[in-house]
Amino acid sequence: MKDLGMNLALSAEEKSLLELITPELVKIGKDRSKLIPILQLIQEKLAYLPGEAIHMVADHLSISPSEVYGVATFYNQFRFNPPGRNPVKVCLGTACHVKGGDIILENFERKLDIKEGQTTPDREFSIERVACVGCCALAPVTVVGQTVHGHMQPSKVEGLVLRARIEREKQQREKQKNESSE
Amino acid sequence: MVTLLIDDKKIDVKEGTNLLRACLENDIYIPNLCYIKGMQNPPASCRLCFVEIEGEDHPIASCTVRVRDDMLVHTDTPRVRRLQKTALQLLLSVHDVDCKNCPANRKCGLQDMARFLKTALKSNRFDLFLKKNQVDQSHPFLDYYPNRCVLCGRCVYVCRDQQKLTELTFAQRGFNTVIGFFGNSQTIPPSCDRCRACAEVCPVAALLPKREI
């Protein structure tokens, strides 16, 4: 079964976003042909489909949650885990594949202890595979957040994860400092 | 009533019956896996119930045709048998053949089919393509074995059309397709635990109740 990120509780912000969607659902109507547009709308607002949303849509259209789940898992455009603050996109296009992109993917999976398509419990990282990011000369390529990292090596994976964690810690410390000085 | 000739045997059936049912009810066996008696729109997903109908260029899955008057049907031609063997091999290419340790041993749809078609339980020219996950135990009342499942859809059908529960569904797609569900022990109704219709219709013991009643 696809991991649905049920271990990740909705944040307060996501809860309020989900509540805001309810009046829009009424506008869209209860026809079951509207299932995909509704799922798209929710993903547009929340960036993923949490389990709560699946139940909400099922109640709205009077169909079973399993049916919503079946449709949503069929399409690649829907994701069930929130994107992490550092979304890791490992390229597995032809060039990256030849250069061992799958090894890089495996390295990230092992280092972060999650599988492709999942998010770490602290929502810091999520791993995705992409088909091509358009810089095959740098293969194997990984995109972390907005930054492209070329010529990836297993040793670089460790460094990238560590750097992101340290930066996060630094930010949090500064935030605390600012708060205490105010 | 319409009269048709199947393998030189004259049979009378009610108009509008589907051909597979007409054959089975008149003791003419056609291999089939995904069909359940009474289905209005059979999914024709197993690709086993092929027959040749005179006037048609190619063999047709018999569950998708309705009987016509003076239909001439052949169920045992080389073309039909070839298609059926290929279909069985394709099913076996995603099936973990481990009969000794399988509860469906001796009452398995695939074993019956191989015996009837006189072929081995091997995918031969097709590579074996198994899923990593041997068993999915996330359902509160059922265990699901993806490598036994042939995705015939009988469980999904009985759950939806007979039990009106719709707890089971096809999830994901392509080679990753599995029988899935959504929910947990809180949201799945307890009637699901008592029903077991899905496990009963499964031809390959891919769905097993967690506990015996």
Side-chain angles (χ1 to χ4, degrees):
Chain A
M1 194 180 148
K2 217 167 183 172
D3 185 72
L4 282 163
M6 299 290 248
N7 45 342
L8 303 174
L10 279 182
S11 67
E13 187 195 0
E14 283 168 344
K15 256 185 205 147
S16 61
L17 276 173
L18 211 53
E19 272 161 32
L20 283 178
I21 287 169
T22 317
E24 294 202 41
L25 287 188
V26 177
K27 241 186 281 168
I28 290 173
K30 287 184 180 293
D31 195 85
R32 59 181 291 164
S33 67
K34 295 285 190 287
L35 173 55
I36 291 174
I38 290 174
L39 292 176
Q40 284 169 328
L41 173 83
I42 295 175
Q43 177 147 320
E44 202 180 290
K45 305 259 176 192
L46 274 85
Y48 76 111
L49 299 176
E52 286 81 351
I54 304 254
H55 282 294
M56 196 174 103
V57 176
D59 283 346
H60 175 73
L61 297 176
S62 313
I63 56 180
S64 90
S66 287
E67 272 184 285
V68 179
Y69 170 71
V71 171
T73 54
F74 183 86
Y75 295 100
N76 271 333
Q77 61 170 299
F78 297 120
R79 52 180 303 158
F80 302 94
N81 286 295
R85 269 178 287 267
N86 298 294
V88 176
K89 294 188 185 116
V90 183
C91 181
L92 288 177
T94 315
C96 292
H97 173 76
V98 170
K99 285 278 200 172
D102 50 339
I103 299 174
I104 303 299
L105 177 64
E106 206 197 305
N107 268 293
F108 272 111
E109 287 181 338
R110 205 167 335 135
K111 177 76 196 148
L112 298 171
D113 202 21
I114 50 173
K115 290 265 164 265
E116 168 230 325
Q118 298 181 337
T119 307
T120 51
D122 59 0
R123 292 209 187 188
E124 211 46 54
F125 296 94
S126 57
I127 305 179
E128 261 172 84
R129 56 197 289 178
V130 290
C132 184
V133 289
C135 47
C136 305
L138 302 178
V141 178
T142 298
V143 184
V144 181
Q146 298 290 322
T147 325
V148 177
H149 299 273
H151 304 303
M152 282 299 292
Q153 286 162 4
S155 56
K156 276 194 179 177
V157 170
E158 185 111 356
L160 279 175
V161 172
L162 199 64
R163 200 186 308 160
R165 288 219 164 114
I166 289 173
E167 253 165 51
R168 175 79 186 155
E169 219 167 283
K170 224 160 91 187
Q171 273 175 9
Q172 273 174 336
R173 258 187 226 158
E174 266 170 38
K175 208 168 138 197
Q176 274 177 353
K177 225 194 219 155
N178 290 347
E179 274 169 11
S180 54
S181 61
E182 266 169 22
Chain B
M1 290 298 255
V2 291
T3 309
L4 57 158
L5 210 60
I6 304 174
D7 291 343
D8 302 323
K9 186 182 170 189
K10 209 170 162 187
I11 62 166
D12 295 305
V13 285
K14 221 173 83 196
E15 217 173 325
T17 322
N18 85 51
L19 183 56
L20 177 60
R21 183 173 178 179
C23 291
L24 294 177
E25 281 177 358
N26 285 282
D27 295 326
I28 300 165
Y29 181 69
I30 295 177
N32 68 86
L33 211 62
C34 62
Y35 178 75
I36 293 179
K37 204 175 161 186
M39 263 183 181
Q40 278 307 306
N41 295 300
S45 63
C46 68
R47 313 312 289 168
L48 281 164
C49 66
F50 280 106
V51 293
E52 282 204 76
I53 300 169
E54 276 187 28
E56 305 279 354
D57 291 342
H58 299 288
I60 297 177
S62 60
C63 64
T64 61
V65 259
R66 305 225 175 268
V67 290
R68 286 191 313 268
D69 221 1
D70 300 326
M71 218 179 201
L72 279 170
V73 184
H74 303 284
T75 67
D76 186 10
T77 67
R79 284 213 292 181
V80 164
R81 290 295 181 243
R82 214 181 122 230
L83 276 171
Q84 287 170 338
K85 281 177 190 168
T86 306
L88 181 63
Q89 285 171 4
L90 281 167
L91 291 176
L92 288 168
S93 73
V94 291
H95 183 78
D96 185 14
V97 182
D98 184 19
C99 300
K100 256 191 230 154
N101 301 314
C102 176
N105 196 9
R106 285 168 211 282
K107 46 189 177 176
C108 163
L110 293 172
Q111 284 178 340
D112 295 348
M113 229 49 69
R115 202 176 308 123
F116 180 81
L117 294 169
K118 300 190 185 68
T119 57
L121 275 169
K122 283 188 182 134
S123 56
N124 289 334
R125 58 203 156 110
F126 302 115
D127 287 343
L128 198 60
F129 193 97
L130 295 179
K131 298 183 177 86
K132 280 192 200 116
N133 193 4
Q134 282 298 329
V135 55
D136 178 353
Q137 298 185 308
S138 49
H139 193 284
F141 311 124
L142 297 162
D143 282 348
Y144 174 64
Y145 294 79
N147 283 332
R148 286 184 194 153
C149 182
V150 290
L151 298 172
C152 61
R154 286 163 69 140
C155 51
V156 178
Y157 170 81
V158 290
C159 194
R160 182 177 57 217
D161 289 80
Q162 297 189 356
Q163 308 297 327
K164 308 278 178 222
L165 275 170
T166 341
E167 290 306 327
L168 292 175
T169 180
F170 290 108
Q172 306 191 45
R173 66 168 160 183
F175 279 116
N176 298 322
T177 312
V178 288
I179 299 298
F181 70 100
F182 186 83
N184 50 37
S185 46
Q186 268 96 58
T187 53
I188 288 179
S191 55
C192 178
D193 192 20
R194 292 189 297 270
C195 164
R196 273 121 206 264
C198 53
E200 272 159 33
V201 294
C202 182
V204 290
L207 276 173
L208 294 175
K210 271 205 180 13
R211 55 177 190 87
E212 296 302 321
I213 299 182

